[in-house]
Structures are given as structure tokens and as C-alpha cells.
Amino acid sequence: MKKWTTLGSAQIPNNGGTLTLAQRDAEFSIRLSGIRGELMNSRVHGSEEALAQLGCARLGEATGARVLVGGMGMGFTLAATLDIVAPSAVVTVAELIPEVIEWNRGPLGECAGQPLQDPRTRVHIGDVAELIAATEDGFDSVLLDVDNGPEGLTHSDNQWLYSLAGLRAIHRALSGEGTLAVWSAGPDPLFVIRLKKTGFHTSVRSVRARPGKGSHHTIFLAKKGAAL
Ligand SMILES: C[S@@+](CC[C@H](N)C(=O)[O-])C[C@H]1O[C@@H](n2cnc3c(N)ncnc32)[C@H](O)[C@@H]1O
């Protein structure tokens, strides 16, 4: 089998470790130092797409919908969001690591069909938490896939996003009937309790890593306003 070629690496702020991008034929892998295995592989993206499909299901053809996607990764959630929302929508992707955006403008871009080139896409290089904290009634959907679940993995400061304080900030950042969707490797009953305490109507979905097969992942859906 052909060997992996390293295409680039990037430091995560606050000693968060190193992200490494590697390629083997048409397959790409992003690894995070300190965890066993991969953060992402370009052949496995069913649940990243499900995050967008579930989190934006309500938006349909809504005019001028505003969606926040945190983070970029290989762009599958961003591309799936663009497949759903109308031509008038604006989709902001927040990515902490500038190199990840560069990789997606370069060799990684083809994996998800070049979603950064879509005129509806806006790029925010920085911490999605800071963007959320600075926003009020700014997004109709917030889609979070920045860790392995509702606990800081890639960036220890991410822990705040899943705390009561972080969830209240997300609630404020959403529009009146807005939806938060969070990707997770597995269930987390305590996170569901915090979502409910924040005032969200919640639902937990199990999705597959590949169409109809592969690992089971979890999407937490949290809706502001009327029930789901
Ligand atoms: C698992 S990947 C996302 C995969 C993505 N859903 C996809 O479809 O390819 C996680 C991404 O979140 C980024 N990230 C981690 N913490 C972040 C933060 N606080 N703000 C913005 N991006 C962050 C990482 O650099 C990485 O690119």
C-alpha cells in the first residue's frame, strides 16, 4: 500500500498540540498529536454531513438564512450546509487554525467540492467561541464540530462552549427559532441536561459515519423558541 505523505502541519494555540495533514492517493487524513488515530479522514464524512442536514433542516428555502459552521476540518459540514440553504443565505465558517483554511484552499479543497469558493461562504479565522460571544440574534443555525463531543479536545478553551455559560451565549447568538447542532462521537446525558437548563428543546440523534454503515455518532439538536 502506498505510504502517507505529510503535506503540512500547524500548531494549535495555548499548547494544544499539532495538527498534521497527510495524503495517500486521493485520501486525506488530519491527525492531532496526543490522540490515537485521526481527527478526520476524507473517506468518512457521513455524520459531518448529517450535522448540517439535521441542524439546517428547518431552513429549507428560507430567504437570507444565516448559518455558523465551527470549524472547517475538511469542509464536509460546510458543503452539506451549502447544499441545503437558499442562494440568498450567508454561511460563516469559523476556523481556529489558519493553515486549515489554506489546506482547504489548496489540496484538500476537492474533497468536499471547494465549498470555500461558494459566494455564500464567509471565512472567520479565529475562535468560534469569540464569534458566538460577540453575537446576538445573528444566526438561524449554529453547527459545532470542533471537538470529539461536548468536551474540549482540540483546544482546551473549547470547554466553555459546552458549559452553561457557553450554551447561554449560543442561545443569545441564535435567532428566535434558531437551532444549535453539535457533533459528538457518542452520547452525553449531562450535556443534554445543560442544554435543557439553558432553555433549549433538545433531541439526540444517532447517525452513521458512512451511509448506512460504520461507527455510530451522535448529533445533539437544541432548538430555541417552539419545540422541535
Ligand atoms: C473535526 S474537525 C471539523 C470537521 C468538519 N465538520 C468537516 O466536515 O470536515 C474540527 C475542526 O475544528 C477546528 N477548531 C477547533 N477548535 C476550534 C475553535 N475553538 N474555533 C474554531 N475552530 C476550531 C479544528 O482546527 C478543526 O479544523
Side-chain angles (χ1 to χ4, degrees):
M1 188 178 275
K2 214 177 155 189
K3 277 193 174 164
W4 287 99
T5 306
T6 301
L7 300 183
S9 62
Q11 282 311 122
I12 300 174
N14 301 336
N15 295 325
T18 307
L19 280 188
T20 305
L21 172 66
Q23 181 176 14
R24 178 173 70 182
D25 294 325
E27 182 183 0
F28 291 87
S29 165
I30 296 181
R31 290 174 181 274
L32 171 64
S33 60
I35 63 164
R36 279 180 19 191
E38 297 172 309
L39 187 64
M40 278 213 73
N41 182 294
S42 59
R43 290 166 56 179
V44 187
H45 45 83
S47 58
E48 286 79 4
E49 288 160 351
L51 176 69
Q53 287 150 1
L54 292 168
C56 297
R58 210 182 41 83
L59 297 181
E61 286 301 301
T63 306
R66 301 152 303 166
V67 181
L68 174 62
V69 178
M72 181 74 198
M74 295 185 172
F76 292 110
T77 303
L78 174 60
T81 302
L82 292 164
D83 282 345
I84 297 163
V85 297
S88 56
V90 172
V91 182
T92 302
V93 60
E95 173 53 54
L96 188 66
I97 315 292
E99 289 89 340
V100 173
I101 296 295
E102 276 170 35
W103 297 343
N104 277 276
R105 289 201 169 114
L108 259 188
E110 279 308 322
C111 286
Q114 303 288 4
L116 289 178
Q117 291 180 14
D118 190 294
R120 296 168 294 172
T121 301
R122 308 281 181 275
V123 176
H124 172 89
I125 295 184
D127 192 335
V128 69
E130 287 174 11
L131 186 56
I132 286 168
T135 305
E136 205 164 313
D137 187 10
F139 301 110
D140 300 300
S141 291
V142 171
L143 314 177
L144 287 184
D145 179 13
V146 291
D147 292 298
N148 227 12
E151 56 187 47
L153 171 77
T154 45
H155 182 44
S156 56
D157 293 356
N158 284 356
Q159 201 63 45
W160 176 82
L161 284 165
Y162 316 112
S163 68
L164 278 177
L167 292 176
R168 284 189 196 114
I170 295 171
H171 196 272
R172 276 194 302 276
L174 284 166
S175 56
E177 296 292 324
T179 304
L180 164 68
V182 182
W183 188 98
S184 176
D188 185 336
L190 292 179
F191 181 57
V192 175
I193 291 173
R194 292 201 295 284
L195 286 169
K196 287 184 177 158
K197 265 193 184 165
T198 310
F200 284 114
H201 302 282
T202 63
S203 148
V204 181
R205 308 289 174 90
S206 177
V207 295
R208 302 300 291 266
R210 298 170 189 252
K213 56 182 184 171
S215 317
H216 289 266
H217 295 148
T218 300
I219 308 289
F220 299 99
L221 284 176
K223 171 130 182 346
K224 193 171 162 177
L228 283 157

